[in-house]
Amino acid sequence: MDQRENHNQLRNMAWMANLAVLLFLLTPILAKAADNDTEEARVKASGDVLKELLNGPEGIPLGVLNKAECVIVLPSVKKAGFIVAASYGRGVMSCRSGENFAGAWSAPIMMQSSGGSFGLQAGGQATDFVVLVMNDKGARAVLNGKAKLGADASVAAGPVGRDAEASTNAAMSAEMLSYSRAQGVFAGVSLSGTSLGPDSGANEKIYGKNVTGEQIFAGSVKAPASAGQLLSTLQEKSPTNASRGKS
């Protein structure tokens, strides 16, 4: 009886040891898959948000979008009905390709924001943010690293409504126009003091290698399948750059 119990104990210990080894080997793989799923979800959510805001009657004016060099979308990502807090202030940017920002929309550059009024604007609600980058200077400031809005790049609340234009002097001269949507209400909102820049870790996860925002913009990687909605919406709604007097 004792020998049988000892045998069973040894067998259980061996089984548990094998299970521990298996979990040890699988953990990095599962963690990487989860990370990739999170980035893919963020890209897809960005496309969904942009499509809704461009198709709605009180959304982003197409006349303003047509003059933008880049579009940044920071969606509130949900899983099983809950807001993923770590995803706040994280999203994607797509720019018109080419040296003069006159080509097709680029593969998405994973982005992150921090500081300023972003946290106060979000306030724990499911809040989506969209930032239009209106000239070369603003676009390159964001591409080259973290740009502090209001310091490295001027920012103003964007006009709302499909037929609206940037009517105020502040909006017409700003390098970026920002918007937010919470509980179905969409409005221009100032994000002055917020820092925006490429999320190098997220870019590496979604593209499978270490790649900079500039390299993504230059076309060195292929857009992921999850970016289909984002890029098709941008190309359909604003295929050409109508901006003038870029600097």
Side-chain angles (χ1 to χ4, degrees), residues 8-244:
N8 289 337
Q9 288 179 354
L10 290 173
R11 185 172 63 181
N12 289 338
M13 290 175 63
W15 181 84
M16 292 178 67
N18 289 333
L19 179 60
V21 171
L22 180 62
L23 289 174
F24 176 78
L25 294 174
L26 286 178
T27 294
I29 299 173
L30 295 175
K32 183 176 181 180
D35 284 342
N36 288 343
D37 286 346
T38 299
E39 310 308 340
E40 297 282 357
R42 190 173 299 138
V43 174
K44 185 179 184 304
S46 297
D48 292 341
V49 167
L50 191 63
K51 182 177 181 180
E52 291 168 8
L53 296 182
L54 289 177
N55 287 332
E58 296 300 321
I60 299 170
L62 292 182
V64 177
L65 175 65
N66 287 338
K67 297 177 182 178
E69 318 287 58
C70 305
V71 175
I72 301 170
V73 186
L74 307 172
S76 56
V77 177
K78 290 184 177 181
K79 284 189 176 180
F82 294 95
I83 301 170
V84 181
S87 293
Y88 263 138
R90 297 161 72 89
V92 306
M93 176 172 73
S94 179
C95 297
R96 300 181 195 271
S97 59
E99 184 178 352
N100 296 317
F101 298 90
W105 293 93
S106 72
I109 301 165
M110 304 304 291
M111 300 291 291
Q112 61 183 344
S113 71
S114 61
S117 58
F118 182 85
L120 296 176
Q121 298 289 355
Q125 300 181 53
T127 305
D128 306 310
F129 294 88
V130 177
V131 180
L132 303 184
V133 185
M134 303 306 295
N135 64 10
D136 295 19
K137 181 181 176 183
R140 297 195 186 284
V142 177
L143 280 170
N144 291 331
K146 279 201 170 182
K148 188 171 184 179
L149 307 190
D152 300 318
S154 59
V155 63
V160 174
R162 295 186 66 175
D163 298 323
E165 290 291 339
S167 56
T168 66
N169 289 334
M172 289 180 69
S173 62
E175 291 165 338
M176 298 189 188
L177 299 176
S178 53
Y179 299 87
S180 73
R181 180 181 67 170
Q183 297 180 336
V185 178
F186 182 68
V189 61
S190 175
L191 292 179
S192 182
T194 301
S195 293
L196 283 171
D199 185 338
S200 57
N203 281 319
E204 183 174 359
K205 289 170 187 173
I206 201 163
Y207 290 112
K209 61 180 180 180
N210 188 5
V211 59
T212 67
E214 284 279 8
Q215 289 171 327
I216 298 170
F217 169 68
S220 66
V221 291
K222 183 180 178 181
S226 54
Q229 179 89 278
L230 176 75
L231 298 181
S232 64
T233 298
L234 284 170
Q235 200 61 32
E236 176 191 349
K237 296 294 184 180
S238 184
T240 58
N241 190 342
S243 64
R244 297 180 297 274

Side-chain angles (χ1 to χ4, degrees), residues 1-12:
M1 191 70 167
D2 290 341
Q3 288 182 347
R4 181 178 298 177
E5 287 180 355
N6 288 337
H7 175 75
N8 289 337
Q9 288 179 354
L10 290 173
R11 185 172 63 181
N12 289 338

